[in-house]
């Protein structure tokens, strides 16, 4: 039978870490999408993982300019409201 390899554990941890970061910045939609991926990792249910990852990447793409400004200036404006 299939057993998850270390990449599954790393992906779950990455989603967990990203989820926490997005909570810190108030990015609710990114938080929710990272949480969904983390849950998939915990439950070993991967049927929708590619779609969930793609949706997370789309949300993060809109968030990246604000994070870049924060890194450069220390000022943050949440682009998601």
């Amino acid at each position: 039978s299939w057993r998850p390899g270390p990449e599954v554990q790393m992906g779950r941890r990455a989603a967990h870490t990203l989820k926490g970061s997005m909570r810190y910045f108030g990015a609710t939609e990114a938080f929710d999408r990272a949480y969904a991926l983390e849950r998939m990792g915990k439950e070993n249910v991967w049927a929708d993982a590619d779609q969930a990852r793609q949706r997370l990447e789309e949300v993060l793409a809109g968030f990246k300019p604000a994070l870049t400004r924060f890194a450069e200036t220390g000022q943050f404006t949440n682009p998601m409201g």
Side-chain angles (χ1 to χ4, degrees):
S1 69
W2 181 81
R3 293 181 149 190
E7 68 280 356
V8 171
Q9 181 71 5
M10 288 177 11
R12 186 192 61 76
R13 285 186 177 176
H16 176 79
T17 300
L18 183 59
K19 178 188 76 172
S21 297
M22 294 300 97
R23 176 181 281 172
Y24 176 80
F25 284 104
T28 306
E29 186 175 0
F31 170 90
D32 291 341
R33 291 174 190 247
Y35 178 63
L37 280 171
E38 179 187 18
R39 220 175 40 244
M40 288 178 190
K42 285 182 179 179
E43 299 170 2
N44 283 323
V45 177
W46 300 104
D48 298 323
D50 284 336
Q51 185 179 18
R53 179 197 46 80
Q54 184 177 17
R55 287 191 307 245
L56 176 59
E57 287 178 357
E58 290 168 0
V59 171
L60 291 175
F63 202 71
K64 187 176 178 180
L67 290 177
T68 300
R69 276 192 306 279
F70 176 71
E72 292 172 349
T73 67
Q75 297 178 3
F76 180 74
T77 302
N78 187 342
M80 297 174 192

